[in-house]
Amino acid sequence: MRQSALQPQIGFQQVTDFERPRQTRNDLIDNTRFEAAPFVTSDHPVSVHNRLFEGSGDLPVTGTGASGLQMWLPLSPRYGLMFYDEHAYRLGRPDSHIVRAVSPTHVAKLNALTWWGASENVYASPHTDRGYLLASAEAIAPLRRETRIWIEEEDLDRTETTKRVRVAFKVSGSPVRLDLPFLRTVAAPPNLAELEEVTMRQPERIADLMEWGRLYRKGWIDFDTFEQLCLRVPRQPRRRR
């Protein structure tokens, strides 16, 4: 990964691999064997997770460009869809896009992602055992923080008449441990201790980075050019007279 070189210049505490395009695979999880432990859904049905960085706290590891990203979408009590970074994981067999759940415990772990990501409501089949739902709710309740989404402000510049702040929208990381026998991790995360949060303090710098990123995404510049542009010494802000 090259994020260790780019990160101080870009200014974000983001574990993203810019060196290669993200390749996402999706597989169907078959839960037809365990009618007593069906999948549930919620008012926020798509859950994001990152097995590669479990335990990393509130680091932003579930962005669409993050290495190791996983997305879980229950389709029905019997089926669910898992999107994942195929450079980081192997799910089931490479020649099949269908994976069978092998234990109700594994179903419970996937359901825990749904319980964790729900805003206010979780939905289940009317045939679902009430005791099963209550047990699931009691298991996830201690893990759900009262504040899982919040906004932080940081003063960047202040004068007698103006103030410039950075506003950050943050989401707490999932506490679920998605250790499933049919999900194998095949990549190693970078050393999180080496990542430091650096504040972006120059609006001109932000504009430059956004433009270079746009050119790279459209294929008008290659990665090496993009990297060199990002690593250039930032230009000094204009002085007000």
Side-chain angles (χ1 to χ4, degrees), residues 40 47 107-117 140 143 174 176:
V40 298
S47 304
V107 177
K109 290 181 181 295
L110 291 168
N111 279 341
L113 290 179
T114 302
W115 282 94
W116 169 257
I140 199 66
L143 302 179
S174 166
V176 177

Side-chain angles (χ1 to χ4, degrees), residues 65-125:
S67 299
L69 177 66
Q70 298 163 286
M71 303 176 71
W72 165 244
L73 173 62
L75 302 175
S76 74
R78 295 185 174 186
Y79 298 100
L81 200 59
M82 175 73 78
F83 298 85
Y84 59 96
D85 176 5
E86 66 175 355
H87 286 279
Y89 312 106
R90 294 290 183 270
L91 188 62
R93 302 194 316 270
D95 60 343
S96 174
H97 283 273
I98 299 177
V99 179
R100 289 184 179 275
V102 296
S103 167
T105 302
H106 308 144
V107 177
K109 290 181 181 295
L110 291 168
N111 279 341
L113 290 179
T114 302
W115 282 94
W116 169 257
S119 295
E120 295 181 350
N121 300 292
V122 171
Y123 308 108
S125 164

Side-chain angles (χ1 to χ4, degrees), residues 31-39 77-78 127-129 132:
N31 184 31
T32 55
R33 295 176 57 190
F34 307 107
E35 294 185 0
F39 290 137
R78 295 185 174 186
H127 305 293
T128 306
D129 180 71
Y132 173 77

Side-chain angles (χ1 to χ4, degrees), residues 35 43 63 98 125 145 183 230 240:
E35 294 185 0
D43 51 5
I98 299 177
S125 164
R145 302 179 184 175
L183 176 66
C230 291
R240 296 179 181 177

Side-chain angles (χ1 to χ4, degrees), residues 2 9 11 35 41 51 72 99 102 115 138 144 148 151-152 167 174 194 198 204 222 228-229 231 233-234 241:
R2 300 193 185 186
Q9 299 297 331
E35 294 185 0
T41 188
R51 170 72 172 161
W72 165 244
V99 179
V102 296
W115 282 94
E138 291 174 356
R144 280 181 63 112
R148 294 182 297 135
I151 295 176
E152 289 184 356
V167 179
S174 166
E194 297 178 355
V198 181
E204 296 88 351
D222 58 19
Q228 291 303 314
L229 288 170
L231 293 176
V233 176
R241 296 184 178 179

Side-chain angles (χ1 to χ4, degrees), residues 156-218:
L156 302 182
D157 186 34
R158 183 189 295 267
T159 67
E160 293 182 357
T161 57
T162 63
K163 181 176 75 169
R164 187 159 57 91
V165 300
R166 181 189 73 148
V167 179
F169 178 82
K170 295 195 173 183
V171 181
S172 60
S174 166
V176 177
R177 296 293 181 264
L178 203 61
D179 49 335
L180 303 171
F182 48 81
L183 176 66
R184 302 183 302 282
T185 302
V186 295
N191 186 359
L192 297 178
E194 297 178 355
L195 296 177
E196 298 179 357
E197 188 168 5
V198 181
T199 302
M200 184 88 67
R201 300 184 180 276
Q202 300 179 19
E204 296 88 351
R205 181 67 172 167
I206 297 175
D208 286 344
L209 290 168
M210 292 182 66
E211 175 64 13
W212 299 333
R214 184 183 69 86
L215 296 176
Y216 173 61
R217 289 193 301 273
K218 288 183 173 294

